[in-house]
Amino acid sequence: MPPLTEAETEAQISDILIRHNWYPVKTDAAMVIRGRGRVPRSHIPQGFPDMTYLLALPGTPLCLAALVETKTVTGKLSDAQVEKHAELRDLYGIRVHVLRDPAQALALVTEARRIVGLLHDRLARQGGKA
């Protein structure tokens, strides 16, 4: 059986996250048409992760966001991706999840459940609804 393509890997990962109530937003910066001359046509910078997934935080008006870059098992990040991921981490404390297989998507689901559980417990102790 040949290895999965990046598109097939992304489809499997998206399927898992969507089945666990994450909302997918395609943010593939490589597909954005950038500016004519000096007039920018997009605010998505090169190297930004391909996907953003959003998960509601019950009992709040907020959500969790996961920035996901999908790669094959042997796929490499571009120089622009390495730079943008480092900027997000160093300046904003945001980790980009480079996912290469469905098991990593399930690990993200598990971590989100842990965080939602902690929030639920905290809201319950404060008398809020979760």
Side-chain angles (χ1 to χ4, degrees):
M1 178 183 224
L4 296 177
T5 66
E6 191 168 307
E8 292 167 333
T9 302
E10 183 177 289
Q12 286 186 357
I13 287 168
S14 275
D15 182 59
I16 287 168
L17 293 171
I18 290 167
R19 281 189 285 124
H20 287 89
N21 299 317
W22 290 80
Y23 180 79
V25 179
K26 184 76 168 167
T27 51
D28 188 353
M31 300 302 291
V32 172
I33 299 169
R34 288 186 173 70
R36 247 185 328 203
R38 302 178 85 181
V39 181
R41 293 183 64 193
S42 172
H43 65 280
I44 300 174
Q46 286 186 321
F48 194 82
D50 290 339
M51 296 292 297
T52 299
Y53 292 92
L54 305 173
L55 180 68
L57 290 173
T60 80
L62 303 174
C63 66
L64 288 177
L67 301 181
V68 173
E69 184 66 50
T70 305
K71 292 291 179 191
T72 63
V73 174
T74 59
K76 296 187 183 338
L77 295 172
S78 70
D79 290 343
Q81 289 170 327
V82 169
E83 289 174 21
K84 182 53 66 180
H85 297 188
E87 175 188 330
L88 290 167
R89 181 190 63 242
D90 297 344
L91 295 180
Y92 304 99
I94 298 171
R95 176 181 168 206
V96 174
H97 302 272
V98 180
L99 303 184
R100 298 175 184 277
D101 65 58
Q104 292 174 314
L106 288 171
L108 190 62
V109 167
T110 299
E111 178 63 6
R113 284 184 179 155
R114 184 185 74 78
I115 292 167
V116 168
L118 291 171
L119 176 64
H120 180 273
D121 292 347
R122 182 168 184 135
L123 288 173
R125 282 193 307 273
Q126 293 175 346
K129 294 180 183 178

